[in-house]
Amino acid sequence: LSATEQACRYVDAWLGGLTRPLVTLTVRQQDTHPDRNSDLGEWRRFAAWLEGGNRYAVWIDDTHVALGNGRGYAELSPDLRLALYERAGMNLIGNNGPQMLLQFSTANYLCFGQALTSEWAKHFKTFHALSVGDQLPWAHDRQRLVYKPDTFENLVEEYQW
């Protein structure tokens, strides 16, 4: 998958003359399977750590959260979201649907919270033919599934990998 040229132009215009490395943080906040939700406090702490290290962190919420806060352009448009992901040096994402955009693109990513429970490990094996620790066979060296919870320490450790 690739973003359209127009979506890339929109994102480039929005980013303007950004000189710091861009990192996206996509979090999950759903009522269904709340055990898969992102630990927002840990992600906020990580965002502050990134900013302190001269990185530019862009927060992408679940669509219903973004719209409730009067935002939602990247959340609503897969094309704009993918363009933003393609422009980022790294994309960190919780265990949610938009990770599929990353997994079928060339953008760099770290997908957290994969198969953390026996139920989800079984789901991974049944529907994705992946065991805990496996990576997607087409992924490049800056694309990884992370089978760890989204603690601050894990976010930092995996980002620095």
Side-chain angles (χ1 to χ4, degrees):
L1 293 175
S2 295
T4 63
E5 288 181 25
Q6 184 61 48
C8 292
R9 282 193 294 273
Y10 285 143
V11 168
D12 289 343
W14 178 69
L15 292 173
L18 182 67
T19 57
R20 295 183 290 161
L22 172 66
V23 179
T24 69
L25 307 175
T26 304
V27 295
R28 182 182 195 280
Q29 302 170 69
Q30 292 289 326
D31 293 333
T32 58
H33 302 290
D35 57 311
R36 292 176 45 211
N37 283 349
S38 301
D39 185 330
L40 299 181
E42 297 293 285
W43 285 81
R44 285 187 187 102
R45 187 173 164 205
F46 180 67
W49 178 83
L50 286 170
E51 293 282 339
N54 202 33
R55 303 290 190 271
Y56 184 72
V58 173
W59 191 276
I60 303 173
D61 282 309
D62 270 328
T63 302
H64 75 284
V65 173
L67 291 175
N69 290 326
R71 300 178 287 102
Y73 296 106
E75 290 87 352
L76 276 175
S77 169
D79 197 21
L80 288 175
R81 184 188 291 252
L82 187 53
L84 184 59
Y85 287 159
E86 288 174 354
R87 295 301 190 250
M90 183 54 74
N91 301 282
L92 289 86
I93 188 167
N95 188 1
N96 60 13
Q99 70 182 322
M100 293 295 117
L101 279 176
L102 288 166
Q103 292 172 6
F104 291 102
S105 77
T106 59
N108 299 332
Y109 65 77
L110 295 168
C111 295
F112 280 84
Q114 305 299 308
L116 293 181
T117 66
S118 59
E119 174 188 341
W120 284 109
K122 182 179 177 183
H123 175 89
F124 252 58
K125 187 67 171 170
T126 302
F127 295 101
H128 304 289
L130 295 173
S131 296
V132 172
D134 287 350
Q135 298 299 316
L136 297 169
W138 58 83
H140 63 68
D141 65 341
R142 299 283 291 154
Q143 296 179 319
R144 284 202 332 188
L145 302 175
V146 180
Y147 297 88
K148 298 177 182 177
D150 57 352
T151 65
F152 172 75
E153 293 77 17
N154 287 340
L155 292 164
V156 169
E157 177 185 345
E158 295 298 324
Y159 178 77
Q160 291 180 328
W161 146 81

